[in-house]
Amino acid sequence: MDRTLIINAHPRVECEESLSLQVLEHFISEYQARNPENWIEQIDLYREYIPAIDVNLLNGWGKMESGDHLTEDEERALGRMMGILQQFKQATHYVIAMPLYNFNVPSKLKDYMDNIIIPKETFRYTEHGSEGLLTDGRSIVVIQGSDGIYTENDWYSEVEYSHKYLKSMFAFMGITDYTIIRAQGHAVLDKNDILAQGRSAATEIAKQWSEATT
């Protein structure tokens, strides 16, 4: 059975006006209709505790190596990070819904990535360089909402760092089946047209994932 993890990186968590969340809702509906028995779980990054790399994590890592006693805050941060990591590793498919902010990922999504890019868990160092450990056929789709348009090979395409970052980091962990659905151009295009294109792309991905499991 496939296990799908929905990673909601929208700061409003639930927003009827959000393009990315509306496309996400459509994807979930389409995928569940085709795979009613499959496991789906969701993590809301702006509602749940997502540890950042701060003094608690840095000190906690150092104390774990030395065997020193952890403070309550350090223990909480490290324990939560391990829970997030294990939830991520248990899934086989991933869907990230996010708005594009200043050409990059929302801050909580960056924190989330820091919780799952862990040596000996999702990648390892070798004498020939790093090597991803999640090479068992996992797939990811990113649903990105934006006011601008980033597919015209212009300056905007060049500085759209979120897509480059996410694609590179998942490949770093061994996940190369990566697709982005862009609900883009909200500032200049008709919202209904944007949603129609985004939902059509989401339906196609849901169909592809379903066919791969049969």
Side-chain angles (χ1 to χ4, degrees), residues 59-60 62-71 74:
N59 288 346
K63 290 179 179 180
M64 286 182 66
E65 292 183 1
S66 64
D68 292 339
H69 178 71
L70 298 174
T71 67
E74 292 163 356

Side-chain angles (χ1 to χ4, degrees), residues 141-202:
V141 60
V142 174
I143 301 171
Q144 180 199 83
S146 65
D147 285 339
I149 298 174
Y150 295 88
T151 52
E152 296 185 340
N153 296 318
D154 55 7
W155 182 86
Y156 284 92
S157 301
E158 188 66 26
V159 300
E160 205 280 77
Y161 301 116
S162 73
H163 169 54
K164 299 173 185 177
Y165 169 71
L166 291 173
K167 185 175 183 180
S168 297
M169 291 302 97
F170 282 104
F172 179 73
M173 294 184 284
I175 305 173
T176 57
D177 185 357
Y178 173 102
T179 304
I180 184 168
I181 297 174
R182 295 185 185 272
Q184 63 177 351
H186 190 212
V188 293
L189 301 177
D190 184 88
K191 180 178 180 179
N192 292 327
D193 292 340
I194 298 171
L195 286 174
Q197 293 180 11
R199 286 166 175 160
S200 176

Side-chain angles (χ1 to χ4, degrees), residues 14-38:
E14 298 176 2
C15 178
E16 294 181 356
E17 297 302 313
S18 165
L19 296 174
S20 57
L21 292 182
Q22 287 183 74
V23 175
L24 172 63
E25 182 181 5
H26 179 80
F27 175 88
I28 294 173
S29 177
E30 289 288 316
Y31 188 65
Q32 285 183 323
R34 289 174 167 82
N35 305 273
E37 302 299 324
N38 280 7

Side-chain angles (χ1 to χ4, degrees), residues 34-46:
R34 289 174 167 82
N35 305 273
E37 302 299 324
N38 280 7
W39 177 92
I40 296 180
E41 188 171 358
Q42 180 164 323
I43 181 170
D44 297 316
L45 304 189
Y46 281 87

